[in-house]
Amino acid sequence: MSIASVDTLRRVDAGAPAPVLLTVEEAAYCLRIGRTTCFGLIRTGELESLLVGGLRRVPADAPAAYLARRRAEQRAA
């Protein structure tokens, strides 16, 4: 992930709306996993994503939903 993308995630502008969609790299950064692992989660359907004009994007709430499912699975095990 580029420094600019990381800075974008860390920056909190009071007047700026929260992002609705994340790049795969941004989603991977949020989950603290690698880009390849993130694409693997998308490929298996574990992490929600969609195509927007040919670009793969992850809804901003999808990383948290993935984490919640994983935590529930581990509690049940």
Side-chain angles (χ1 to χ4, degrees), residues 38-57:
C38 194
F39 271 112
L41 293 174
I42 290 168
R43 188 173 26 264
T44 61
E46 294 179 75
L47 183 63
E48 180 186 1
S49 74
L50 54 133
L51 282 174
V52 178
L55 301 172
R56 180 68 54 190
R57 293 294 181 252

Side-chain angles (χ1 to χ4, degrees), residues 28-43:
Y29 179 80
C30 289
L31 292 168
R32 304 303 193 265
I33 60 175
R35 178 179 177 273
T36 302
T37 302
C38 194
F39 271 112
L41 293 174
I42 290 168
R43 188 173 26 264

